[in-house]
Amino acid sequence: MKEVKKQILALRKALHDHNYRYYVLDDPIISDYEFDQSIRELTNLEKQYPEYHDPNSPTLRVGGGVTKDFPTLVHEFPMYSLDNAYSQQELLDWEKRVQKGLGTDEVSYTCELKYDGVSISLTYDCGVLERAVTRGDGTQGDDVTQNIRTIPTVPLELRGDFKERFAVRGEIILPIDGFNKMNEQRIVEGEEPYRNPRNTASGSLKLQDSKLVALRPLQCFLYQMIANRTLFSTQIESLQAAHDLGFNVPKYHTLAPNIDEVIRFITHWEKERTNLPYEIDGVVVKVNDIAQQDELGYTSKSPRWAIAYKFKAASTYATLESVQFQVGRTGAITPVAILNPVVLGGTVVKRASLHNADQIEKLDLYFGDSVAIEKGGEIIPKIISAESSKRSTDAKKVYYITHCPDCKTELVRMAGEADHYCPNNDGCPTQIIGRIQHFISRKAMNIYGLGNETIELLYYQGLLISYADLYTLTYEKLIPLERMADKSVQNILDAIDKSKTIPFERVLFGLGIRYVGQTVAKKLAISFGSIDALAKANFDTLVQVDEIGIRIAESVVEFFDSLSNIQIIDRLKTYGLQLKSQLNNFKPLSNKLEGQSFVISGVFATHSRDEIKTLVEDHGGKVSSSLSSKTSFLLAGENMGPKKRIKADQLGIVVIDETIFLSMIST
Ligand code: AMP
Ligand code: ZN
């Protein structure tokens, strides 16, 4: 073997090792500086000798690859969910079923913490990571391998020489500390904080840029290894083996010889959970003996040999100090309870959500009340009840406001809706500022350099009354303002100018039409093609669009009924914003499929579902989501549900596979 190749392999092995010692064992033997030096050395060698590329090289932990679509992959072993027990009684009932199923009461159990994150299935072959797939519907999930590779506790190469192909199941989690740091950063940058670690972990796996994933402090906890043959005789043994292979198996699990010990473990962790650096939502109890597990087997949804004991949501009492009514950019009012600070679920809580007027009425709240608060999955806890018996006789009742706390306009509540609104959309400062802040946000027009505070300042200086005014800002107008310098003004003007190339669907999202989020904006952009066509669309045309419901349709119509909105849009046109969609401006490659309508179902061998869809459209065909008498072909992949086939037969629709389809469009 060439000297260089040897050197590269040795460096990789050493770095995998140090990585394991640092992240899994928490026991590094070299300094961070030395680690970085070795990474640098390896990176340089890999650049010089690209022929030795390896997707599992430790240098690729920093990410780099961008994934546009996450292809769907079928799980080699289906990923089941778990049955839940919410009380000791339910746990004992499960124990009875297990004993009955096995015909013996000699059963021991492993107790593991139930990590609150997203499930993942990692496949290893010949000792290296081959792929990482999300649970999806249990049968198939999304291929997120590129992103998973950046997580330091996922071994890219196994320790020892276990070469057999197997899958390992685990949970990707975001530790509380790392989550809080991410939020501090977001608040500094004027962005909405993330709501909870689990959703954030889940969202991270679907980021398109793996570099961004690498920046997030994600971790991977493992709890099960599966192969074509039985690898271990007990669950506890498999956890130890997984650990020895280099997986991060948290140390808090135990072998319980009987259910009493299981209950002891649960009671302990129900109290101790708040001292963990990550969130757990229960304890998973598994029959320890794998032969017994096999005997019990699975229901259609979950293993009979395991159960998740779910903890009750953390709760405590706090004093209600005041209620704030916040006005959103669409005018919606959100009441928030301000509490004397208390510790709940490991964090200090000062606010609780009150949802809406009905909720406040139902709780029958008085200022100064002692209130029970509970934290579910969300960062902001909610108020469950008020202790009326402890209330002083002169306490004042909390009433919902009748007028906007900002512009003092009388609030309205639409029939059938829970929220109140300030109807003064054009004159209410909080709404106007909120709308401009939304317009410039990253997912909309991405006008960086203009923070939320600057927007407020510009509004109160009379320089911005609507987002259209952004395009009238000049150097002369901005430079006299506080904290503005030559460079920052230039950056702002550049970003504003650049926003003129932002595609229509994002402009549409930026307009801030109520209920028109990113996905809906994209749908509308594709269906109508331009702002003019959308403005002309009436309610009936709108609701005909897939996934556009009554609420959205009404809101769109209302938006374009407003003269001031039309005037703003006319101005945006003259400033040169993209108000026509590029999404459907394509010429078909051929008209081979003209007039044909396809329904696509299942998983395909050589193309992702989205690719197939694009192919149909590229050749002049149409894709729809459900079978009807108008469907010409059902394009069936692997794992298509049986119901679809039966329905296709009933309707007399021709069912074709991928090969036939590809031959239909080949020349
Ligand atoms: P649920 O999503 O409530 O059906 O619970 C099932 C999920 O719990 C599994 O899919 C795993 O993602 C997750 N889980 C967390 N910790 C464990 C564990 N120690 N053993 C098995 N599953 C776990
Ligand atoms: Zn108002």
Side-chain angles (χ1 to χ4, degrees):
M1 192 167 24
K2 279 241 186 76
E3 251 338 280
V4 191
K5 185 170 179 195
K6 260 197 209 147
Q7 198 184 347
I8 288 180
L9 293 185
L11 268 170
R12 280 183 189 151
K13 179 159 185 319
L15 283 164
H16 279 309
D17 243 36
H18 290 308
N19 197 70
Y20 169 74
R21 297 198 68 98
Y22 186 92
Y23 287 104
V24 180
L25 301 184
D26 198 12
D27 180 23
I29 49 171
I30 59 168
S31 68
D32 290 2
Y33 176 77
E34 286 166 303
F35 185 86
D36 289 345
Q37 286 300 317
S38 302
I39 283 278
R40 207 159 291 160
E41 191 185 344
L42 179 57
T43 312
N44 285 337
L45 284 172
E46 287 176 341
K47 260 198 210 128
Q48 271 179 50
Y49 301 96
E51 61 270 39
Y52 302 130
H53 172 81
D54 174 358
N56 281 329
S57 170
T59 54
L60 299 175
R61 291 274 193 206
V62 292
V66 172
T67 317
K68 279 265 177 287
D69 269 324
F70 296 91
T72 310
L73 292 180
V74 177
H75 291 298
E76 281 168 53
F77 308 96
M79 286 180 86
Y80 291 90
S81 83
L82 290 172
D83 265 350
N84 293 320
Y86 293 96
S87 63
Q88 277 192 19
Q89 190 51 51
E90 286 179 18
L91 182 69
L92 295 173
D93 291 346
W94 171 73
E95 185 208 16
K96 276 210 197 81
R97 289 199 298 278
V98 166
Q99 292 179 342
K100 195 163 163 234
L102 294 171
T104 170
D105 47 13
E106 301 229 333
V107 189
S108 60
Y109 305 94
T110 49
C111 304
E112 295 164 40
L113 302 181
K114 186 169 189 298
Y115 321 112
D116 201 5
V118 251
S119 343
I120 192 84
S121 174
L122 309 173
T123 303
Y124 287 81
D125 200 5
C126 297
V128 295
L129 175 67
E130 183 188 280
R131 63 183 213 181
V133 184
T134 62
R135 177 156 86 178
D137 63 4
T139 316
Q140 56 184 40
D142 295 326
D143 178 355
V144 290
T145 316
Q146 286 227 37
N147 286 346
I148 291 293
R149 278 211 177 95
T150 66
I151 301 175
T153 41
V154 172
L156 302 176
E157 266 176 25
L158 299 177
R159 305 173 64 75
D161 56 1
F162 191 81
K163 297 287 178 232
E164 196 164 331
R165 184 180 178 81
F166 68 96
V168 15
R169 294 291 149 73
E171 199 83 358
I172 306 289
I173 62 119
L174 196 52
I176 298 167
D177 207 28
F179 172 75
N180 288 340
K181 286 215 182 83
M182 279 172 68
N183 267 349
E184 279 161 25
Q185 182 66 25
R186 277 181 81 81
I187 290 164
V188 169
E189 286 165 3
E191 300 207 57
E192 272 286 294
Y194 292 116
R195 287 198 304 187
N196 64 46
R198 189 202 30 221
N199 291 357
T200 314
S202 159
S204 305
L205 298 193
K206 290 303 194 58
L207 288 174
Q208 294 193 340
D209 185 351
S210 60
K211 273 212 186 74
L212 298 179
V213 186
L215 294 176
R216 298 193 171 182
L218 299 163
Q219 289 192 18
C220 180
F221 290 168
L222 274 317
Y223 53 75
Q224 197 189 2
M225 281 174 64
I226 317 160
N228 276 323
R229 64 178 182 98
T230 308
L231 296 172
F232 308 100
S233 55
T234 64
Q235 166 69 6
I236 205 94
E237 199 186 304
S238 77
L239 291 177
Q240 184 58 44
H243 175 266
D244 295 343
L245 288 171
F247 292 108
N248 188 24
V249 180
K251 53 180 182 253
Y252 307 113
H253 51 77
T254 197
L255 177 61
N258 53 47
I259 210 78
D260 290 341
E261 285 301 316
V262 171
I263 291 170
R264 213 192 301 277
F265 184 89
I266 290 173
T267 319
H268 172 77
W269 284 107
E270 187 142 31
K271 273 204 230 83
E272 275 301 303
R273 59 192 290 208
T274 52
N275 294 326
L276 285 169
Y278 46 85
E279 291 193 333
I280 59 171
D281 61 341
V283 164
V284 184
V285 187
K286 299 172 185 171
V287 169
N288 184 44
D289 187 295
I290 306 276
Q292 287 186 332
Q293 287 188 3
D294 291 343
E295 204 176 327
L296 288 164
Y298 295 79
T299 67
S300 60
K301 258 183 55 238
S302 45
R304 293 198 185 86
W305 46 264
I307 194 147
Y309 182 95
K310 290 270 181 98
F311 292 144
K312 283 175 204 69
S315 66
T316 188
Y317 288 93
T319 308
L320 176 67
E321 290 184 343
S322 60
V323 175
Q324 259 179 16
F325 292 88
Q326 298 174 343
V327 188
R329 66 180 161 83
T330 60
I333 307 291
T334 318
V336 179
I338 307 299
L339 310 167
N340 74 312
V342 287
V343 177
L344 174 63
T347 49
V348 177
V349 169
K350 295 181 213 150
R351 301 146 66 81
S353 55
L354 282 168
H355 302 291
N356 52 46
D358 293 343
Q359 185 67 13
I360 292 184
E361 196 48 48
K362 208 167 98 198
L363 289 168
D364 190 27
L365 291 178
Y366 284 71
F367 292 103
D369 270 355
S370 166
V371 291
I373 55 174
E374 187 179 285
K375 193 153 145 184
E378 311 287 84
I379 271 292
I380 283 217
K382 58 180 181 214
I383 294 188
I384 303 300
S385 62
E387 301 269 277
S388 55
S389 56
K390 292 194 193 149
R391 185 177 292 152
S392 72
T393 44
D394 56 354
K396 286 204 174 63
K397 189 172 162 67
V398 176
Y399 287 104
Y400 203 84
I401 46 169
T402 53
H403 291 75
C404 174
D406 189 11
C407 71
K408 314 291 178 242
T409 307
E410 191 172 352
L411 301 181
V412 295
R413 187 184 202 180
M414 251 88 78
E417 282 201 21
D419 292 345
H420 281 76
Y421 287 92
C422 163
N424 183 16
N425 299 99
D426 297 335
C428 182
T430 315
Q431 288 187 55
I432 296 173
I433 293 168
R435 276 200 302 269
I436 303 175
Q437 287 168 343
H438 169 75
F439 185 81
I440 65 163
S441 65
R442 205 160 40 85
K443 287 179 178 157
M445 304 305 278
N446 193 22
I447 302 178
Y448 37 87
L450 265 179
N452 283 349
E453 280 164 30
T454 317
I455 296 291
E456 273 178 42
L457 179 72
L458 292 172
Y459 171 80
Y460 287 110
Q461 295 284 332
L463 290 173
L464 279 186
I465 299 165
S466 79
Y467 34 67
D469 298 330
L470 285 166
Y471 299 91
T472 62
L473 292 176
T474 56
Y475 185 86
E476 289 70 29
K477 285 184 185 169
L478 290 172
I479 198 75
L481 300 177
E482 227 178 283
R483 277 184 289 142
M484 289 287 178
D486 224 32
K487 180 128 181 60
S488 51
V489 169
Q490 206 46 55
N491 284 345
I492 293 172
L493 292 173
D494 286 349
I496 292 176
D497 206 45
K498 220 167 133 195
S499 75
K500 293 178 183 168
T501 59
I502 294 282
F504 174 51
E505 63 273 17
R506 280 173 58 186
V507 181
L508 188 53
F509 168 62
L511 296 182
I513 308 173
R514 189 180 300 165
Y515 306 130
V516 178
Q518 277 177 290
T519 321
V520 172
K522 197 162 176 188
K523 277 249 140 68
L524 292 173
I526 295 174
S527 307
F528 292 91
S530 71
I531 198 89
D532 290 336
L534 183 62
K536 279 200 211 101
N538 59 23
F539 178 84
D540 293 331
T541 333
L542 283 160
V543 286
Q544 266 163 33
V545 177
D546 226 14
E547 284 169 53
I548 303 296
I550 295 173
R551 251 184 8 166
I552 301 175
E554 276 175 354
S555 160
V556 171
V557 170
E558 190 190 338
F559 183 88
F560 289 105
D561 271 350
S562 144
L563 183 61
S564 62
N565 285 339
I566 296 292
Q567 283 166 345
I568 288 176
I569 287 167
D570 283 341
R571 285 177 60 201
L572 294 181
K573 270 187 205 159
T574 62
Y575 300 137
L577 270 68
Q578 303 296 313
L579 295 167
K580 281 202 181 98
S581 174
Q582 303 297 322
L583 290 173
N584 51 3
N585 268 355
F586 73 91
K587 273 213 161 56
L589 290 178
S590 83
N591 51 8
K592 290 200 178 86
L593 304 180
E594 201 179 298
Q596 314 282 16
S597 142
F598 290 77
V599 169
I600 307 172
S601 185
V603 194
F604 300 90
T606 56
H607 292 84
S608 74
R609 218 140 34 146
D610 278 341
E611 285 166 357
I612 299 258
K613 181 164 180 264
T614 313
L615 283 175
V616 172
E617 288 164 352
D618 281 352
H619 291 276
K622 270 211 192 115
V623 175
S624 66
S625 56
S626 58
L627 291 168
S628 75
S629 56
K630 294 201 194 95
T631 311
S632 330
F633 296 101
L634 170 59
L635 178 44
E638 294 269 325
N639 283 74
M640 185 181 75
K643 282 205 193 113
K644 273 237 163 82
R645 191 172 289 270
I646 297 172
K647 185 152 183 216
D649 284 346
Q650 281 168 353
L651 293 167
I653 295 164
V654 184
V655 183
I656 56 170
D657 65 12
E658 190 178 3
T659 321
I660 301 182
F661 169 71
L662 293 175
S663 70
M664 284 165 76
I665 55 172
S666 70
T667 43

